[in-house]
Amino acid sequence: MSTSTARRWALRGTATAVAVVVAAGTIAAAHTIGTTETPGHPAGRTVTPVPAAAERVCAGSALRLSDESGNDATRASAIGSPEIASATTGEGVDRTELEGSTTGSSAPTLLTAPAGDTAPQVAGSSVQSVSSGDLVGVGAASCDDPSQSTWLVGGSTETGRTSLVTLANPTDVNATVDLAIADANGTVSAPGTTGIVVAPNSQKVVPLSGFVTDQGSTVVHVTSTGGQIVAHMQETVVRTLTPGGFDIVSGGAAPARTQVIPGVVLDDAEGAQRGEDTSDAAPALRLYVPGDRSARVTLGITTADGGGTTVDATAEPGVVTDVPLDDFPDGRYSFTITSTVPIVAGARTTTPTDDGRTDLGWFASAEPLGESTITAVAAGSGARLNLVNPTREDATVTIASGDDSREVEVASGSTATVSVPSAQQLRLTGAEGLVAGVTYQGDDGIAGFPVRPATEVSSPLRVYP
């Protein structure tokens, strides 16, 4: 990554502070010579922050925990490369690859939309279909903003399951990362989960099995100080000797009493459970309560054709709970989870593939969108956009791509599923309060990712001496 590109991120947080300091000094001088809006009251000035470049990081390639010869199981190596789609409200998007480390690299891509007269937005996604030895299936992920907190709801360290946490630092300073891991037995206490240093403009790959072994249900809370992090998790499954798929877990919504998983694919889940070592092939909702009180949970399941049902469950605090979801017909669903206390949530499903194997999909919860959101859908099999309306008002969402647009009616409490063009910029308007996700479904497997809301940019502020 070029020095100028890297500096744009670092300056994002400092430009506003410099402007405020300068403005404050100017205002103080004006006040000294008696310039006030009202006698006896200090003058104020509206300071407009300097526009900054927008950045998001894509997850990168599928990973195998070995080198190309199958040796060195302490280092992750990239397999193939994903399809990436990007969008921006600016003039264009620059793509650069972050460096790896001694633990390996998925070759994550940094998307940068250079600043213009105003701060731009940038968005993107990636999808990869892979068939290489015991690594098969489809993985998809959103390209995300750097953050100091990410919830990864997914993964397993049982025999034949490999879960790798990827930590990308697109900033110019070291990021010190802590991993708070929970499983079905409670909070994991293990050396090495805190103080993980990720160098500037690089990625570190951390095997979850280094901290917890033989656990089928995990949740990881990634926090950082110094530089901000983009975190994903990749899970790969081998059922005895048969490849069982892979997927990438995108960060889910922060703990809340309501969680929405906008897109979940069920495709012959019963068929995927035939054979050996299939105890984790059944569809499941994964829940985690980070507080100290039990959660009474209601799961509302809806489809675009108006069908739906509810499932009640209880989740104990501090332990990961998997709620089985058997006996549902094939289709694309949305899950709305309401809870008596804040929770995090994700969903896992499995499907047979056309080569007689299976693939798994992890589907993350998502944050509500604003009035206008841009996104881009990476080219993959059977891509669909799910729109979920958890609000009390009906919505009319306009989906625009270039000169083409269409309107989609999404009634209160309902879900709409639509086909959208791949590898093109999409703008969603009229979607404030709605939640969106993209799912893939093809002969090679299933996958999905949440559509991210627009990145918050600094707004003008009033400064007083």
Side-chain angles (χ1 to χ4, degrees):
M1 181 172 63
S2 67
T3 302
S4 60
T5 300
R7 285 177 177 167
R8 277 194 284 267
W9 196 97
L11 290 175
R12 180 184 301 173
T14 60
T16 301
V18 172
V20 171
V21 171
V22 172
T26 304
I27 294 167
H31 181 60
T32 301
I33 61 175
T35 303
T36 60
E37 293 180 351
T38 304
H41 295 274
R45 171 173 291 187
T46 299
V47 177
T48 301
V50 176
E55 294 180 346
R56 289 190 177 180
V57 179
C58 306
S61 301
L63 288 170
R64 174 180 287 131
L65 197 56
S66 66
D67 57 22
E68 295 181 356
S69 63
N71 299 315
D72 192 4
T74 64
R75 180 181 175 86
S77 56
I79 306 298
S81 58
E83 296 288 335
I84 297 175
S86 59
T88 183
T89 58
E91 294 298 321
V93 178
D94 298 329
R95 299 186 182 187
T96 51
E97 183 181 316
L98 297 181
E99 298 177 358
S101 67
T102 56
T103 60
S105 172
S106 68
T109 298
L110 172 65
L111 305 178
T112 303
D117 294 335
T118 60
Q121 293 287 328
V122 69
S125 64
S126 65
V127 65
Q128 183 179 2
S129 177
V130 63
S131 180
S132 175
D134 57 9
L135 184 59
V136 300
V138 179
S142 54
C143 304
D144 295 338
D145 287 316
S147 173
Q148 291 179 320
S149 175
T150 303
W151 287 90
L152 299 173
V153 183
S156 170
T157 61
E158 289 184 316
T159 301
R161 282 68 175 162
T162 302
S163 297
L164 305 174
V165 178
T166 59
L167 306 170
N169 174 12
T171 78
D172 274 344
V173 297
N174 283 338
T176 302
V177 178
D178 294 342
L179 304 179
I181 305 169
D183 59 27
N185 295 324
T187 302
V188 175
S189 178
T193 56
T194 61
I196 302 169
V197 178
V198 185
N201 310 312
S202 73
Q203 183 197 61
K204 181 165 285 189
V205 180
V206 182
L208 200 57
S209 59
F211 313 116
V212 55
T213 58
D214 200 28
Q215 287 293 325
S217 304
T218 54
V219 170
V220 181
H221 184 204
V222 181
T223 57
S224 69
T225 56
Q228 293 182 313
I229 288 293
V230 174
H232 293 89
M233 180 195 295
Q234 177 186 297
E235 182 183 357
T236 305
V237 174
V238 178
R239 305 187 187 282
T240 310
L241 298 176
T242 303
F246 98 103
D247 203 3
I248 299 172
V249 181
S250 295
R257 287 184 172 87
T258 299
Q259 295 282 357
V260 178
I261 305 174
V264 179
V265 178
L266 290 179
D267 184 4
D268 193 13
E270 183 177 345
Q273 297 175 63
R274 300 188 184 103
E276 299 179 349
D277 192 18
T278 58
S279 60
D280 60 351
L285 172 70
R286 182 161 297 181
L287 302 172
Y288 177 67
V289 181
D292 56 8
R293 290 185 297 159
S294 299
R296 294 191 303 275
V297 175
T298 298
L299 166 63
I301 303 174
T302 59
T303 62
D305 61 7
T309 188
T310 60
V311 175
D312 294 325
T314 300
E316 297 300 324
V319 298
V320 179
T321 301
D322 282 355
V323 180
L325 300 174
D326 294 324
D327 302 325
F328 286 94
D330 292 351
R332 300 183 196 237
Y333 295 82
S334 66
F335 292 175
T336 300
I337 304 106
T338 56
S339 171
T340 54
V341 298
I343 57 170
V344 294
R348 181 200 67 222
T349 67
T350 308
T351 185
T353 58
D354 62 350
D355 57 3
R357 305 174 184 181
T358 59
D359 185 34
L360 80 155
W362 277 106
F363 304 94
S365 62
E367 301 281 358
L369 303 179
E371 170 61 25
S372 179
T373 302
I374 61 168
T375 190
V377 178
S381 299
R384 298 290 187 273
L385 173 68
N386 264 33
L387 295 166
V388 184
N389 185 356
T391 74
R392 297 182 179 180
E393 302 291 334
D394 296 344
T396 300
V397 180
T398 300
I399 305 173
S401 176
D403 296 330
D404 299 326
S405 66
R406 64 180 295 189
E407 289 187 346
V408 179
E409 302 293 332
V410 191
S412 173
S414 72
T415 297
T417 301
V418 296
S419 299
V420 291
S422 298
Q424 296 183 31
Q425 177 163 314
L426 304 178
R427 180 182 290 275
L428 311 180
T429 54
E432 185 170 7
L434 274 64
V435 180
V438 171
T439 55
Y440 297 91
Q441 180 180 11
D443 293 338
D444 50 353
I446 54 176
F449 65 87
V451 174
R452 302 302 190 190
T455 304
E456 293 185 9
V457 297
S458 299
S459 57
L461 58 150
R462 196 73 172 170
V463 180
Y464 297 92

